Amino acid sequence: MKNNSWILKGNICYSKSEKELSVTEQGYLVCCQGISQGVFRQIPEKFRGLPVTDYGDALIFPGMTDLHLHAPQYSFAGLGMDLELLDWLNTHTFPEESRYESMEYARKAYKTFAEDLKRSPTTRAVIFATVHVPATRLLMDEMEKTCLKTCVGKVNMDQNCPDSLREVDAKASLLDTERWLLDTMDAYENVRPILTPRFAPTCSAALLEGLGRLGQKYNLPVQTHLSENQSEIAWVKELYPWSSFYGDVYDRFGLFGAGEEGRAPAVMAHCVYSAPEEVMRMKENRVYIAHCPQSNMNLSSGIAPIRSYMEQGLFIGLGTDLAGGANMSMFRCITDAIAVSKLYWRLVDQGAKPLTLEEGFYLATAGGGSFFGKVGSFEQGFEADVLVGDDLEIPRLDGWGIRERLARFLYLSGEKGRLIGKYVAGVQILL
Ligand code: GUN
Ligand code: FE
């Protein structure tokens, strides 16, 4: 029997909406069978029998969804940060990813990745692996053990990459992919496969078309990269001259989400330079944008116009894009998103108000969480993904409220704060 019915006591925060933080000092978060029953000032009569964990003066808030990161890139995070996207891929990323042909290498690297992600603020993640099926299976096995909820994708690419990473042709790539899908679709409790064409330049039309067919056949989610860098966008136009805009290439092959309820969503990393038609199509197709601010700085990609996307009602979450981003901290990701929005406001568009703390926090919890369903909030009916933060070591003067303490925990926890509790769908993860 899973111990996923309980009550946590402490200072509880979660996003009521993009703009509003709900704060309950010394409140009770009630969870029954992994599902939040809400936050209360007193324990309601009907929940009196549940075990209570008293976290004292600690902060209790929803787990974070990392909507875009690359597991095999953890091993070189921090290198090549003087390069732009296409040179960075050729110099560091592709050579490193080639090494996952070796299971011995993959075992070492993925074990460290999984252990570190487990201890991080991330409770859910949408993850790229490499083209290698055995190593991707191994990553899925490692992720399963963490009890985090993740989507993991075997990467597809059959052109414009080194021989060591290029799949033989579209047919071989699709055969491998379908076999991998059938092997993994129902094999895990916590991990699901996700279709992962790396990005349009490394995929032939035949490959994209076949992946679209697989997506339709099995109703699969999709992850890829979109409009990250201007040279990349120009290259896509050269390779796919018939496309009206970059995302049109994915859309043509059924890899760009779909308007209907019940269809598995697509998540597009970056969207720094999405043309107005692209933005419109994303909205129609309920596409998720994974905003990856640190990566966009490190690779000198640019700043995504997130305020505008929010105003247009798009689905948005945050991603570390490890190792375009040099670390896997979603707290850092929130503060980076806020910081780059200020540069955008100051330097690019004075009409684009910077993100507030509430908005950054919302994007990392409820915003990205919705990719996984009812996730990222403590409202009744949401899956109980919870972080408990001890901020005792962060110097504090009298009179600060819970919101201020939460803000400082997000900004300063790398130095002084500590995560002392983590739960995913009600299951406690041992840190
Ligand atoms: N575009 C294609 N591959 C990648 C990758 O590994 N990282 C980033 N940031 N962009 C990409
Ligand atoms: Fe990426």
Side-chain angles (χ1 to χ4, degrees):
M1 265 283 282
K2 267 193 203 163
N3 186 12
N4 61 358
S5 299
W6 39 251
I7 298 174
L8 307 184
K9 180 169 190 236
N11 298 310
I12 304 175
C13 313
Y14 67 91
S15 295
K16 262 191 131 42
S17 69
E18 278 174 13
K19 304 249 178 276
E20 193 190 347
L21 195 66
S22 158
V23 172
T24 310
E25 238 170 286
Q26 291 302 305
Y28 298 90
L29 169 63
V30 179
C31 169
C32 289
Q33 293 178 347
I35 304 296
S36 173
Q37 306 301 306
V39 174
F40 305 91
R41 296 194 177 280
Q42 305 289 336
I43 303 175
E45 189 60 40
K46 62 180 174 176
F47 300 128
R48 286 274 154 89
L50 294 174
V52 180
T53 302
D54 187 346
Y55 280 110
D57 197 30
L59 303 166
I60 298 177
F61 50 96
M64 312 258 146
T65 293
D66 189 340
L67 215 47
H68 180 70
L69 77 167
H70 299 257
Q73 297 177 16
Y74 192 40
S75 44
F76 75 95
L79 294 183
M81 306 272 85
D82 50 345
L83 300 171
E84 292 187 37
L85 175 66
L86 301 177
D87 289 334
W88 174 80
L89 286 174
N90 287 320
T91 309
H92 288 278
T93 313
F94 290 156
E96 178 62 22
E97 290 193 11
S98 301
R99 304 181 73 170
Y100 289 76
E101 170 86 48
S102 154
M103 286 296 274
E104 199 188 329
Y105 191 79
R107 199 167 287 116
K108 267 195 275 184
Y110 282 155
K111 190 165 186 296
T112 310
F113 169 80
E115 281 170 1
D116 289 358
L117 197 66
K118 182 175 162 181
R119 278 194 289 268
S120 79
T122 297
T123 43
R124 314 238 168 188
V126 186
I127 305 174
F128 272 58
T130 63
V131 292
H132 313 98
V133 173
T136 302
R137 279 303 303 261
L138 193 143
L139 174 62
M140 295 172 97
D141 293 346
E142 288 295 331
M143 291 317 303
E144 176 74 1
K145 284 190 261 173
T146 64
C147 291
L148 307 179
K149 301 275 182 194
T150 58
C151 293
V152 173
K154 173 221 162 320
V155 169
N156 296 94
M157 44 183 171
D158 67 343
Q159 63 179 29
N160 294 320
C161 59
D163 289 349
S164 54
L165 277 181
R166 186 168 40 242
E167 299 182 281
V168 173
D169 55 22
K171 195 165 160 224
S173 173
L174 292 166
L175 266 175
D176 259 7
T177 303
E178 186 159 18
R179 209 174 300 130
W180 164 73
L181 286 168
L182 291 170
D183 283 348
T184 57
M185 232 180 284
D186 301 311
Y188 300 99
E189 191 179 343
N190 304 312
V191 189
R192 297 277 172 271
I194 178 166
L195 284 181
T196 308
R198 180 175 209 114
F199 68 155
T202 56
C203 300
S204 67
L207 179 54
L208 292 172
E209 190 190 357
L211 290 173
R213 257 187 280 114
L214 288 178
Q216 184 87 27
K217 182 169 170 189
Y218 300 110
N219 192 21
L220 296 165
V222 176
Q223 63 177 345
T224 187
H225 297 92
L226 179 67
S227 299
E228 175 178 5
N229 165 295
Q230 284 171 324
S231 312
E232 170 210 21
I233 294 170
W235 194 19
V236 171
K237 186 71 193 165
E238 256 172 56
L239 292 167
Y240 290 98
W242 49 258
S243 59
S244 319
F245 48 88
Y246 186 162
D248 191 34
V249 177
Y250 299 135
D251 198 33
R252 180 74 60 99
F253 298 113
L255 295 164
F256 204 55
E260 316 113 60
E261 291 279 350
R263 269 307 301 281
V267 56
M268 298 288 141
H270 305 299
C271 306
V272 175
Y273 299 104
S274 291
E277 309 92 285
E278 185 163 282
V279 175
M280 197 123 70
R281 194 79 57 85
M282 286 196 281
K283 187 169 164 112
E284 283 161 12
N285 288 10
R286 306 166 69 88
V287 166
Y288 276 75
I289 294 170
H291 175 40
C292 307
Q294 197 192 131
S295 169
N296 297 157
M297 286 190 276
N298 287 338
L299 300 178
S300 307
S301 301
I303 309 174
I306 291 303
R307 168 62 65 204
S308 159
Y309 295 158
M310 287 174 79
E311 283 170 351
Q312 293 178 74
L314 293 164
F315 292 88
I316 311 165
L318 300 183
T320 60
D321 191 26
L322 185 76
N327 65 67
M328 55 167 65
S329 168
M330 283 300 293
F331 295 160
R332 171 78 193 266
C333 197
I334 293 174
T335 61
D336 281 341
I338 294 170
V340 301
S341 75
K342 290 176 190 167
L343 291 178
Y344 192 84
W345 172 57
R346 183 62 74 206
L347 301 174
V348 184
D349 177 1
Q350 280 75 51
K353 274 202 309 228
L355 298 187
T356 61
L357 182 85
E358 277 77 3
E359 288 170 327
F361 183 75
Y362 172 88
L363 292 178
T365 55
S370 65
F371 185 81
F372 288 88
K374 291 188 88 170
V375 170
S377 163
F378 293 154
E379 295 284 347
Q380 202 259 321
F382 277 70
E383 294 188 58
D385 291 6
V386 186
L387 299 176
V388 185
D390 174 356
D391 64 344
L392 219 65
E393 296 289 311
I394 299 178
R396 187 193 324 162
L397 300 173
D398 285 346
W400 279 347
I402 304 301
R403 181 193 178 277
E404 286 72 29
R405 286 175 53 193
L406 175 69
R408 281 165 60 79
F409 191 78
L410 298 177
Y411 274 93
L412 301 176
S413 70
E415 292 153 42
K416 300 261 185 170
R418 271 188 324 133
L419 276 186
I420 55 170
K422 182 167 177 176
Y423 300 76
V424 181
V427 174
Q428 185 165 18
I429 308 264
L430 295 173
L431 291 167

